[in-house]
């Protein structure tokens, strides 16, 4: 990673905060024409009465009141990349016995660890549409994190939300819909925190593609861009689509939020005051802390003013030994650029999140693993190669989580086509075809960060990965089932042996199960031209050819896909020889068992959390693969507004047979039953009219005091300076400028921060605010929707009734998802009641003028059914 130049960093701080610095008028003029983010200051401080945070606030206050300025700075600033056992570590408070907090990836379990589980990737978990499985998954991941001495688990993810189907990290989130993502983000966060670990909802926000997310990474790929890509998004779209799931997580009490690499309206995610101060902490009333993505911080005091609370991993860029915070933050507080209330609020937020999940100073779990080696003995300080010791204790934290993993990956497997061949019952002869059914010859963890496509794909790549404790391949599990059933079984685990494959699958009585995949992941790995984001929507390693070949000669072909998102099935899905198509997602360690459970009908499948379009163009959105703004920040205008995935398809191709209509729509998936929907009833509730929140906050509290004598902050004698480590102390106390080393040092808050940035007086509350998640009345239930679902089929099955609402009005989506439930094990002939509540928020649009949610006067209709396009019941909402 290349560090940003100082000029660029200073310019950024200025531009992002809407003041001028005067150094580079030309650049500023060019930027003035671009999308712009309005300033929002001061940064909101915690509310002692915030619902669900009262106790945590009191405990944090008692603790923070005892801290010195240096100790406070320590808690906010990472110690630097590879300086400590975890991917992120802040300083400790030895005087009061607080160990250094450990931040560890990631959204599907622990990364850079061992004796941990590899959970299903979120997109597969999303496909279960099951709130209890999300919570269980979160809890199991939280327990594993706790057992290893991790304080903050870096997940779950709802950004990217899935704007473009090729988006590399889409699969880290739960599906291409804000309501689905919101429910899953909240349930997962609750689960993680129940286990006593702080969840970190990320990436806030509009980090919808990997290309150009960071200028440095782009330089390495030959794109000489000066700054990261800017996602330019209007206010209504921001609220109704991208920010929606985060509000659910905030309401559920999530302890931390990670700000993203990209810019939004040409202001970096980690210093965008409109998004952090205005929307997240103001409107949504977020009481936890905002942590930067790794190297996503690009300025010092400006990020503090804009609402950042913790910098990760702490150094200006990896292993520089310098920090925008650390000593600079100490200086900033002493010289008045960062008000005391702001650093107090940062530490309050961090410690309140810590206490909120049930941590105490008495029950701290020392971190018992080290991210940088699997050896038992090694350097405690990897960057400095210092302090040799026992650093990996191989603590086995897996418990019985394999059961959950097997179940939830099975329940998140989607049957897209079934002409009756499934479930399999003691077939005479099964032939499995394709590399994706077998092992990676280098082992399940053979490729660092899972950055390859060798053998079966059970995970995407990048930081959102774990080391597999084992990986059950489809070949393993299907063979075991075959042996049990007396089925003859053979497999060809390569895509490149057509003669042999053909000879096998043209024998009599063969059920051919053909496997193919397509991955994706984080932008720091480029696999075959897929730099995180996929470069196309077709299958990898000749998967499409293999499927076409197999189905051209075998009339009982079953297709199994391990893909990170949609692929184009257009060319072959209709072939009558293809008797079933199964999307097995990215299932995690129990892959083969989960798949077998579905193919043999031992459990019920899930529903697609995204749309399967007929062509790449049919999605309407795409990744930007080439910079479009010269050497300056690429400008990604989100002109499609809220119309992504099913909302887009419903708009441009509402009917079956329309050009560009989906092949398999959002929410679709076959099950073992057949379900009749009937007796829709809608009950209206009398609720008080909506009252925008008014009044003012308290004045910013301060906890403790500090000296302004630089000498009190000198690096203490007797402590060894570990190479590249970030400390809160100053190396020299001759002057602030000398201690900082920043050539621009000496600017006062007035000179480079926007008006209001350091104002700690009571502030007006926003109308849409009021409690964590937003104005409490947004959750008033306006309607209850009921219907009866009857299994008219002959097998027991789960069903996932879905509620969609047409909010009405010009330019609005045809329908938006507003409710669902996975109802388990409905027996043949059995009728169950499905009930959903529609809240005020569910029926509102964001009104830009009043900056609040408004239930418009437009006629509204509720629909209930089994997918976004199969909605047999509807009723008007009066
Ligand atoms: C981005 O700019 C649009 C258009 O002016 C505006 O509606 C929106 O609120 C801005 N968002 C942010 C986060 O600055
Ligand atoms: C800051 O944290 C480091 C450990 O990360 C510790 O050595 C140091 O003593 C802490 N400083 C203060 C002032 O507590
Ligand atoms: C990259 O862009 C910078 C200006 O942003 C320019 O100074 C430099 O010469 C460019 N480098 C290359 C290799 O084009
Ligand atoms: C303070 O921040 C500036 C960038 O704003 C950086 O150049 C300098 O190295 C930092 N100082 C320390 C002591 O980390
Ligand atoms: C105060 O310290 C900050 C952080 O090092 C620096 O950016 C700023 O220029 C300083 N301001 C004054 C007035 O000394
Ligand atoms: C196996 O194939 C033979 C020849 O095509 C056919 O007669 C027989 O019914 C098949 N048996 C089964 C169990 O499919
Ligand atoms: C799509 O990308 C995959 C993976 O890199 C590659 O194997 C395949 O050939 C590409 N498809 C086309 C049609 O170019
Ligand atoms: C598909 O079959 C053709 C011959 O018909 C062969 O040349 C090609 O290699 C096969 N491809 C795959 C992936 O099996
Ligand atoms: C289906 O398979 C049979 C062989 O059993 C083959 O003759 C036929 O051409 C295939 N049909 C298609 C549409 O591929
Ligand atoms: C502080 O001094 C130590 C040596 O005493 C040096 O290694 C380190 O780079 C200096 N750090 C900063 C931020 O200036």
């Amino acid at each position: 990673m290349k560090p940003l130049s100082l000029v660029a960093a200073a310019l950024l701080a200025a531009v992002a905060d809407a003041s001028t610095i005067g150094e580079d008028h030309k650049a500023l003029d060019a930027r003035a024409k671009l999308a712009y983010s309005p300033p929002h200051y001061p940064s909101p401080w915690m509310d002692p009465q915030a619902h669900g945070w009262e106790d945590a606030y009191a405990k944090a206050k008692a603790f923070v009141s005892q801290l010195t300025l240096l100790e406070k700075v320590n808690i906010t600033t990472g110690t630097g990349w590879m300086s400590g056992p975890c991917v992120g570590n802040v300083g400790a408070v030895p005087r009061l016995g607080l160990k250094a907090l450990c931040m560890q990836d990631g959204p599907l379990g622990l990364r850079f660890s061992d004796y941990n589980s590899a959970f299903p990737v979120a997109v597969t978990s999303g496909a279960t549409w099951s709130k209890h499985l999300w919570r269980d998954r979160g809890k199991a991941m939280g327990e594993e994190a706790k057992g290893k001495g991790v304080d903050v688990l870096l997940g779950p993810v709802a950004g990217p939300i899935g704007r473009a189907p090729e988006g590399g990290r889409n699969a880290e989130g739960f599906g291409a819909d804000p309501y689905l993502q919101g429910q899953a983000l909240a349930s997962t966060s609750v689960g993680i925190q129940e286990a006593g670990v702080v969840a970190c909802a990320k990436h806030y926000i509009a980090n919808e593609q990997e290309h150009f997310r960071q200028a440095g990474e782009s330089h390495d790929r030959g794109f000489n861009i000066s700054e990261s890509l800017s996602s330019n998004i209007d206010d209504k779209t921001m609220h109704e689509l991208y920010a929606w799931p985060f509000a659910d997580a905030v309401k559920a009490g999530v302890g931390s939020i990670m700000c993203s690499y990209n810019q939004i309206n040409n202001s970096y995610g980690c210093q965008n005051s409109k998004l952090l101060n205005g929307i997240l902490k103001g409107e949504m009333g977020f009481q936890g802390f905002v942590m930067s993505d790794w190297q996503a911080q690009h300025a010092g005091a400006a990020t503090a003013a804009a609402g950042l609370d913790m910098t990760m991993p702490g150094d200006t860029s990896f292993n520089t030994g310098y920090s925008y915070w650390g000593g600079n933050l100490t200086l900033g507080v002493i010289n008045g650029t960062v008000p005391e209330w702001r650093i107090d609020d940062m530490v309050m937020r961090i410690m309140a999140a810590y206490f909120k999940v049930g941590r105490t100073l008495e029950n701290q779990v020392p971190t018992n693993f080290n991210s940088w080696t699997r050896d038992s003995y090694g350097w405690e300080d990897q960057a400095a190669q210092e302090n040799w010791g026992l650093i990996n204790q191989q603590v086995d934290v897996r418990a019985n989580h394999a059961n959950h993993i097997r179940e939830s990956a099975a329940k998140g497997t989607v049957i897209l086509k079934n002409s009756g061949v499934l479930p399999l019952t003691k077939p005479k002869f099964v032939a499995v075809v394709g590399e994706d059914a077998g092992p990676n010859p280098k082992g399940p963890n053979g490729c660092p960060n899972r950055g390859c496509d060798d053998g079966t794909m059970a995970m995407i790549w990048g930081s959102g990965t774990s080391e597999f404790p084992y990986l059950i391949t489809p070949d393993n599990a299907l063979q075991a089932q075959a042996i049990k059933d007396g089925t003859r079984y053979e497999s060809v685990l390569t895509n490149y042996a057509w003669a042999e494959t053909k000879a096998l699958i043209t024998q009599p009585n063969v059920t051919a199960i053909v496997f193919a995949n397509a991955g994706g992941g984080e932008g720091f790995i480029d696999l075959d031209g897929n730099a995180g984001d996929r470069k196309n929507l077709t299958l990898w390693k000749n998967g499409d050819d293999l499927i076409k070949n197999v189905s051209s000669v075998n009339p009982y072909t079953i297709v199994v896909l391990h893909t990170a998102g949609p692929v184009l099935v257009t060319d072959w899905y209709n072939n009558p020889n293809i008797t079933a198509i199964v999307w097995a997602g990215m299932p995690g360690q129990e892959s083969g068992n989960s798949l077998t459970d579905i193919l043999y009908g031992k459990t019920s499948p899930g529903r697609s959390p995204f749309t399967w379009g007929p062509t790449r163009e049919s999605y309407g959105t795409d990744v930007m693969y080439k910079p479009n703004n010269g050497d300056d920040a690429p400008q990604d205008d989100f002109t499609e507004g809220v119309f992504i995935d099913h909302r887009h398809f419903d708009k441009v191709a509402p009917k079956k047979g329309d050009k560009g209509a989906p092949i398999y729509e959002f929410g679709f998936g076959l099950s073992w039953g057949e379900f009749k929907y009937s007796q829709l009833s809608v009950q209206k509730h009398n609720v008080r009219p909506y009252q925008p929140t008014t009044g003012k906050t308290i004045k910013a509290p301060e906890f403790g005091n500090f000296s302004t004598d630089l000498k009190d902050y000198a690096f203490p004698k007797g402590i060894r300076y570990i190479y590249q480590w970030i400390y809160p102390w100053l190396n020299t106390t001759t002057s602030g400028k000398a201690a900082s080393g920043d050539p621009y040092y000496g600017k006062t808050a007035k000179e480079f921060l926007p008006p209001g940035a350091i104002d700690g007086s009571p502030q007006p509350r926003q109308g849409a605010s009021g409690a964590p998640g937003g104005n409490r009345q947004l959750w008033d239930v306006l309607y209850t929707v009921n219907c009866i679902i009857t299994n008219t089929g002959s097998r027991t099955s789960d069903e996932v009734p879905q509620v969609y609402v047409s909010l009405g009005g010009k330019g609005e989506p045809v329908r938006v998802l507003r409710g669902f439930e996975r109802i388990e094990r409905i027996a043949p002939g059995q009728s169950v009641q499905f009930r959903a509540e529609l809240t005020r928020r569910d029926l509102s649009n964001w009104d830009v003028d009043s900056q609040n949610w408004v239930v418009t006067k437009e006629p509204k209709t509720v629909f209930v059914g089994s997918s976004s396009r199969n909605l047999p019941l509807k009723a008007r909402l009066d």
Side-chain angles (χ1 to χ4, degrees):
M1 311 293 163
K2 293 193 180 77
L4 273 175
S5 73
L6 287 174
V7 180
L11 180 63
L12 267 169
V15 172
D17 293 300
S19 73
T20 51
I21 194 165
E23 257 78 16
D24 192 341
H25 285 297
K26 220 174 115 224
L28 283 174
D29 287 348
R31 276 155 175 262
K33 299 192 187 73
L34 301 175
Y36 153 85
S37 195
H40 189 113
Y41 294 91
S43 187
W45 37 91
M46 283 187 81
D47 174 358
Q49 262 120 43
H51 182 67
W53 288 81
E54 303 91 335
D55 283 359
Y57 185 98
K59 287 178 182 152
K61 182 177 166 187
F63 182 76
V64 174
S65 301
Q66 303 172 57
L67 297 177
T68 65
L69 173 57
L70 289 163
E71 289 165 340
K72 290 172 184 172
V73 169
N74 235 12
I75 291 175
T76 65
T77 303
T79 51
W81 181 238
M82 295 189 165
S83 293
C86 302
V87 296
N89 312 271
V90 291
V93 183
R95 187 176 61 91
L96 299 176
L98 178 71
K99 83 168 180 78
L101 301 188
C102 158
M103 276 42 78
Q104 191 72 5
D105 293 312
L108 53 64
L110 294 171
R111 180 184 183 211
F112 292 159
S113 163
D114 53 15
Y115 300 90
N116 56 274
S117 305
F119 289 84
V121 181
V123 73
T124 283
S125 178
T128 66
W129 297 64
S130 167
K131 291 167 204 172
H132 84 83
L133 287 176
W134 293 331
R135 189 163 170 166
D136 291 351
R137 177 172 172 272
K139 181 138 186 261
M141 295 194 303
E143 282 164 2
E144 297 200 4
K146 183 155 189 208
K148 291 280 186 185
V150 170
D151 299 280
V152 183
L153 183 61
L154 304 174
V157 173
I161 205 167
R163 174 180 182 245
E166 305 87 352
R169 297 182 83 174
N170 288 358
E172 289 186 41
F174 300 89
D177 181 273
Y179 186 88
L180 180 69
Q181 291 265 14
Q183 296 292 315
L185 199 72
S187 305
T188 309
S189 302
V190 167
I192 292 171
Q193 297 194 164
E194 260 170 3
V197 168
V198 178
C200 178
K202 64 186 194 174
H203 306 84
Y204 189 80
I205 198 169
N207 192 164
E208 292 295 320
Q209 63 169 59
E210 295 301 284
H211 281 76
F212 319 125
R213 63 180 185 151
Q214 274 177 306
E217 194 174 84
S218 306
H219 297 163
D220 300 342
R221 305 257 158 78
F223 296 110
N224 187 29
I225 54 171
S226 58
E227 312 297 345
S228 303
L229 168 139
S230 177
S231 297
N232 302 325
I233 306 181
D234 69 87
D235 194 36
K236 187 167 185 284
T237 301
M238 178 59 75
H239 281 85
E240 295 183 359
L241 181 56
Y242 296 98
W244 180 285
F246 288 96
D248 286 308
V250 171
K251 179 161 196 294
V254 73
S256 70
I257 299 259
M258 186 188 291
C259 50
S260 60
Y261 285 126
N262 55 296
Q263 303 190 78
I264 303 92
N265 288 9
N266 294 293
S267 169
Y268 273 101
C270 294
Q271 65 189 71
N272 188 311
S273 64
K274 162 84 178 161
L275 284 163
L276 301 180
N277 291 342
I279 296 179
L280 182 62
K281 290 182 175 177
E283 214 175 286
M284 292 183 197
F286 175 57
Q287 301 294 311
F289 63 99
V290 176
M291 169 200 307
S292 73
D293 202 339
W294 271 233
Q295 310 185 100
Q297 186 191 29
H298 298 287
T303 58
L308 184 70
D309 302 303
M310 181 190 277
T311 169
M312 277 293 137
D315 30 23
T316 48
S317 58
F318 288 172
N319 303 110
T320 57
Y322 297 100
S323 179
Y324 291 111
W325 285 5
N328 268 323
L329 185 54
T330 307
L331 286 167
V333 176
I334 296 171
N335 75 26
T337 333
V338 178
E340 185 189 355
W341 60 259
R342 182 71 269 269
I343 185 157
D344 286 353
D345 185 57
M346 294 176 188
V347 188
M348 280 293 291
R349 287 171 176 275
I350 295 166
M351 294 312 299
Y354 179 89
F355 291 122
K356 185 173 194 297
V357 303
R359 303 225 136 195
T360 63
L361 293 186
E362 292 72 44
N363 71 4
Q364 300 177 75
V365 182
T367 304
N368 54 41
F369 75 104
N370 187 290
S371 299
W372 320 114
T373 174
R374 298 273 54 79
D375 296 344
S376 297
Y377 287 85
W379 304 118
E380 272 167 37
D381 304 304
Q382 180 66 29
Q385 307 265 292
E386 282 192 33
N387 292 329
W388 187 262
L390 175 63
I391 57 173
N392 274 306
Q393 296 173 35
Q394 293 86 30
V395 177
D396 195 327
V397 291
R398 293 173 295 163
N400 61 352
H401 300 157
N403 298 340
H404 163 83
I405 294 169
R406 177 173 182 161
E407 178 191 354
S408 66
K411 289 183 170 172
T413 297
V414 181
I415 302 179
L416 295 169
K417 177 177 180 179
N418 180 13
S419 58
V421 61
L422 299 181
L424 296 171
T425 40
K426 302 195 177 187
K428 193 174 172 71
F429 181 13
V430 166
V432 158
V433 176
E435 179 179 323
D436 180 68
N440 177 348
K442 290 182 244 151
N445 299 313
C447 308
N449 299 299
R450 312 296 82 77
C452 64
D453 180 16
D454 296 324
T456 195
M457 198 182 269
M459 236 184 238
I460 55 168
W461 70 70
S463 61
T465 51
S466 314
E467 268 53 49
F468 287 107
Y470 57 76
L471 174 56
I472 307 284
T473 65
D475 183 47
N476 289 154
L478 289 168
Q479 172 163 297
Q481 178 69 42
I483 291 168
K484 212 164 95 194
D485 290 346
T487 297
R488 184 183 153 203
Y489 183 89
E490 288 189 43
S491 51
V492 180
L493 301 178
T494 164
N495 295 0
Y496 305 107
W498 178 235
E500 295 79 359
T501 301
K502 186 176 176 187
L504 176 67
I505 62 172
T506 49
Q507 294 178 32
N509 309 113
V510 189
T511 303
I513 311 183
V514 52
F515 285 76
N517 66 29
E522 190 171 357
F524 71 84
I525 292 173
D526 181 330
L527 180 57
D528 192 30
N530 301 279
D533 306 314
R534 280 187 281 166
K535 66 184 178 200
N536 63 42
L537 288 179
T538 54
L539 289 165
W540 293 9
K541 291 200 158 173
N542 289 35
D544 288 292
D545 278 351
L546 187 65
I547 291 168
K548 287 181 199 169
N549 280 3
V550 169
S551 59
S552 72
V553 296
N554 179 295
Y556 308 105
T557 303
I558 296 171
V559 174
V560 175
L561 302 174
H562 286 118
T563 66
V567 290
L568 303 178
V569 299
T570 318
D571 284 355
W572 46 261
Y573 79 102
N574 240 345
N575 184 334
N577 286 352
I578 297 184
T579 54
I581 304 175
V582 175
W583 178 67
M586 293 281 151
Q589 70 187 42
E590 289 282 327
S591 174
N593 285 336
S594 302
L595 177 69
T596 304
D597 287 349
I598 290 303
L599 294 182
Y600 285 79
K602 295 179 209 172
T603 187
S604 270
R607 305 292 182 266
S608 184
F610 49 76
T611 302
W612 299 70
T615 60
R616 178 178 193 153
E617 296 69 37
S618 68
Y619 286 88
T621 47
D622 207 339
V623 165
M624 179 191 289
Y625 294 93
K626 290 266 161 0
N628 65 352
N629 192 26
D631 283 349
D632 209 337
Q635 298 295 311
D636 200 358
D637 295 333
F638 286 29
T639 49
E640 72 287 342
V642 299
F643 294 93
I644 65 161
D645 201 81
H646 62 101
R647 297 161 170 211
H648 162 77
F649 284 94
D650 286 351
K651 179 177 165 186
V652 303
K655 291 188 308 298
K656 220 185 164 100
D658 286 346
K659 185 173 182 292
I663 291 179
Y664 302 117
E665 73 270 18
F666 175 83
F668 172 78
L670 298 169
S671 72
W672 305 128
E674 280 173 38
F675 294 96
K676 193 179 125 226
Y677 284 68
S678 63
Q679 297 178 45
L680 178 67
S681 71
V682 175
Q683 193 197 347
K684 185 176 180 176
H685 301 275
N686 279 323
V687 295
R688 334 156 262 165
Y690 187 60
Q691 299 285 335
T693 295
T694 56
K696 287 195 161 184
T697 66
I698 57 167
K699 99 183 216 311
E702 289 175 357
F703 304 104
N705 48 40
F706 62 93
S707 128
T708 52
D709 185 350
L710 287 187
K711 288 195 190 61
D712 294 335
Y713 301 93
F715 198 93
K717 293 201 172 60
I719 290 194
R720 186 172 150 71
Y721 199 111
I722 299 172
Y723 176 63
Q724 289 185 348
W725 193 281
I726 305 298
Y727 294 98
W729 291 294
L730 309 179
N731 258 12
T732 163
T733 56
T734 51
S735 72
K737 183 160 188 149
S740 164
D742 179 354
Y744 296 101
Y745 189 93
K747 298 251 182 269
T748 60
K750 260 217 171 78
E751 285 171 301
F752 81 106
L753 294 179
I758 62 168
D759 179 3
S761 66
Q763 297 296 312
R765 294 181 193 271
Q766 300 180 48
S769 75
N775 192 313
R776 271 181 207 234
Q777 282 183 278
L778 293 172
W779 275 271
D780 287 346
V781 176
L782 304 195
Y783 295 90
T784 312
V785 177
N786 278 285
C787 75
I788 301 293
I789 298 169
T790 308
N791 186 352
T792 59
S794 56
R795 293 179 61 94
T796 296
S797 182
D798 296 0
E799 172 65 338
V800 183
Q802 298 161 38
V803 178
Y804 292 81
V805 174
S806 159
L807 294 171
K810 237 181 115 198
E812 292 300 323
V814 177
R815 280 179 296 273
V816 292
L817 179 69
R818 284 297 184 256
F820 60 84
E821 200 69 63
R822 183 177 182 122
I823 306 179
E824 301 197 16
R825 301 195 59 78
I826 309 175
Q830 190 187 351
S831 289
V832 293
Q833 194 181 40
F834 167 60
R835 184 189 142 93
E837 292 181 333
L838 294 174
T839 64
R840 187 190 306 276
R841 177 183 185 233
D842 290 334
L843 298 178
S844 293
N845 285 104
W846 179 253
D847 182 62
V848 175
D849 290 338
S850 64
Q851 284 292 294
N852 215 328
W853 295 97
V854 169
V855 180
T856 65
K857 296 249 166 355
E858 303 291 340
K860 307 197 188 310
T861 310
V862 62
F863 300 82
V864 184
S866 62
S867 81
S868 62
R869 288 187 172 223
N870 181 12
L871 297 163
L873 304 180
K874 69 170 177 173
R876 280 281 294 272
L877 299 172
D878 304 310

